[in-house]
Amino acid sequence: MKIAIIGGGIGGLCAAVTLQKQGFSVQVFEANPTFLPVGAGIGIGSNALQALMEIGVGEDVFANGHVLHTQVFQDEFGKTLNTIDFTVLKKLYGQENITIHRADLHRTLLEALEPNTLHFNKKCISVDQSDTQVTVHFEDGTTVTADLLIAADGIHSSIRQQLVPDSLPKYAGYTCWRGITENRGRVDEYTSTELWSTQGRFGMAPMKNGLVYWFACINTTARNPQFQHLTSQEIGDLFHHFPEVVHNIITTTPFENILHHDISDIKPLRQFAFGRVVLLGDAAHATTPNMGQGAGQAIEDAIVLGNGFKQFEHVDKVLAFYEQKRVARTAKVIRLSRQIGATAQIQFRPLAGVRDFLFSFIPSKVLMGRLKFLFDVKLK
């Protein structure tokens, strides 16, 4: 079987590694002209590490990552509202939560591919299919025909929008800056911290090699020109009301290490497979980043799809298995992540006060219990 994958991001590469290890002929087509080692830090949950271990790259990913033991939530004055103990994940599921530079995860997957698998400057503009084959049309005028097409071309997937025209990204109501800078002892070595206020939200987490990853979100209209192209100092000034460490981390981040995006997701889809075309990763279930599960859910997709081919010979049964495992689970992540974001981004001060008061009384075990479905993942 010949399999074509559109999109050389984490989901597409993970799918390629998974399927090549099973002996399939796989080619990946990426719209960008080259692999650029850019991006911010990301979280890889215990669930995603479990999946990566199955395809033989988990140890390398773990070696490039940094373990998190605790998640702390604070108010704008730095008062702790609640904590989550991540160390129980190792005891329960055998893997831990880590942070990693997106480029390091990307590179690890690239190195696990067979030579000449990835092709650049290949922007897909449309697909058409018969009962047994799919033809991909690229912007450069070339075409590729395969027995199965995996669309892993992100939240703005042209393939998804061709198949489901009303599946356009939905703005979540806030914009976000992300960056990486030197830690310099400003962030606890094993603790991820998130601070909430009515004027914005800030998160910071340690990474390997003495680095810290941070994000800063503020409610605004989509594509607000006021927040485009801000300097590190200007971004820091937006969050001056937080403890001094927040302003310090932002303003000491080199401008070239800062990314800025409006935050969006897509309405959960009812199906991921359309004949011989299957959606994967953000193309299938783009979510807001509030649960740190964007990469993790794409990785799960890839391993589940691969496990489907181990169990079934006919493609239709493989794709039915994939949908049965992935559609409801990823829809739950999308909804819960949007709910968490809306709660954390509350601007009305009295309502925020009630949120903080009630949140402080929720036992940590209850918070972890709400996430149990994430880590207790069934990949087969």
Side-chain angles (χ1 to χ4, degrees):
M1 174 177 283
K2 292 176 60 178
I3 300 174
I5 299 176
I6 304 300
I10 291 169
L13 294 184
C14 192
V17 172
T18 303
L19 295 168
Q20 281 187 344
K21 287 182 179 294
Q22 294 185 39
F24 290 103
S25 172
V26 181
Q27 296 294 306
V28 181
F29 302 92
E30 167 59 41
N32 287 314
T34 184
F35 166 59
L36 300 174
V38 296
I42 58 173
I44 298 295
S46 167
N47 56 309
L49 270 180
Q50 292 176 58
L52 290 169
M53 292 294 176
E54 285 205 10
I55 59 170
V57 299
E59 293 292 346
D60 288 339
V61 171
F62 185 79
N64 282 307
H66 182 88
V67 174
L68 292 178
H69 291 166
T70 309
Q71 169 80 55
V72 176
F73 299 93
Q74 299 179 340
D75 66 13
E76 62 186 299
F77 305 108
K79 176 187 174 183
T80 296
L81 301 173
N82 218 319
T83 62
I84 297 178
D85 179 9
F86 287 144
T87 62
V88 300
L89 297 174
K90 177 71 172 179
K91 301 171 187 175
L92 292 174
Y93 306 112
Q95 301 299 335
E96 301 181 88
N97 278 10
I98 66 170
T99 56
I100 190 172
H101 196 296
R102 180 180 291 272
D104 289 334
L105 175 57
H106 206 156
R107 189 178 297 107
T108 300
L109 294 171
L110 274 174
E111 292 172 351
L113 290 176
E114 295 174 4
N116 304 314
T117 297
L118 181 58
H119 308 276
F120 293 106
N121 277 319
K122 288 293 183 180
K123 182 178 181 180
C124 170
I125 56 173
S126 67
V127 300
D128 54 65
Q129 61 176 312
S130 65
D131 291 340
T132 58
Q133 288 188 316
V134 184
T135 299
V136 186
H137 300 268
F138 295 104
E139 192 175 57
D140 63 6
T142 61
T143 61
V144 167
T145 299
D147 302 302
L148 177 68
L149 174 66
I150 299 173
D153 50 342
I155 186 172
H156 300 289
S157 170
S158 61
I159 299 173
R160 183 192 70 242
Q161 291 178 18
Q162 178 182 335
L163 297 167
V164 190
D166 63 347
S167 63
L168 296 172
K170 179 182 178 184
Y171 181 51
Y174 45 97
T175 197
C176 186
W177 294 267
R178 296 171 291 155
I180 293 177
T181 190
E182 294 179 4
N183 191 346
R184 304 177 190 170
R186 295 174 291 192
V187 176
D188 183 82
E189 187 177 4
Y190 300 107
T191 302
S192 173
T193 303
E194 190 166 317
L195 299 100
W196 297 346
S197 82
T198 55
Q199 301 174 66
R201 176 169 48 136
F202 182 82
M204 50 191 172
M207 297 178 66
K208 193 177 181 183
N209 299 322
L211 298 175
V212 60
Y213 159 64
W214 60 265
F215 69 86
C217 300
I218 191 167
N219 290 347
T220 184
T221 54
R223 298 177 295 279
N224 188 336
Q226 177 184 350
F227 299 119
Q228 307 299 321
H229 313 298
L230 297 186
T231 65
S232 302
Q233 183 67 45
E234 289 169 332
I235 300 167
D237 290 346
L238 292 173
F239 298 89
H240 69 278
H241 56 286
F242 281 129
E244 176 60 29
V245 64
V246 171
H247 186 271
N248 189 260
I249 286 175
I250 295 174
T251 56
T252 57
T253 303
F255 179 75
E256 61 271 18
N257 289 354
I258 297 178
L259 301 175
H260 175 229
H261 297 95
D262 285 351
I263 300 301
S264 301
D265 59 13
I266 63 171
K267 182 180 178 181
L269 302 179
R270 295 182 178 180
Q271 68 182 98
F272 292 166
F274 302 81
R276 288 299 180 105
V277 178
V278 62
L279 306 178
L280 184 145
D282 281 355
H285 46 72
T287 180
T288 55
N290 300 295
M291 295 173 67
Q293 281 292 315
Q297 292 304 302
I299 290 167
E300 286 184 13
D301 285 351
I303 276 66
V304 168
L305 186 60
N307 286 339
F309 277 106
K310 289 180 180 178
Q311 298 177 58
F312 306 101
E313 290 187 10
H314 199 280
V315 174
D316 289 348
K317 290 187 176 181
V318 173
L319 299 184
F321 167 81
Y322 174 73
E323 287 188 318
Q324 183 266 323
K325 288 287 187 181
R326 303 305 301 156
V327 171
R329 176 174 170 83
T330 54
K332 186 173 182 177
V333 170
I334 292 172
R335 295 189 182 102
L336 182 56
S337 184
R338 181 170 270 265
Q339 179 184 340
I340 291 171
T343 301
Q345 295 286 141
I346 290 174
Q347 283 185 289
F348 186 51
R349 187 168 292 277
L351 188 57
V354 172
R355 174 201 64 195
D356 292 353
F357 177 77
L358 295 177
F359 188 50
S360 65
F361 285 98
I362 300 175
S364 180
K365 287 185 179 179
V366 173
L367 295 179
M368 180 60 80
R370 195 181 186 195
L371 300 176
K372 186 177 184 296
F373 82 96
L374 272 182
F375 305 116
D376 191 17
V377 58
K378 301 295 188 292
L379 300 169
K380 298 179 181 178

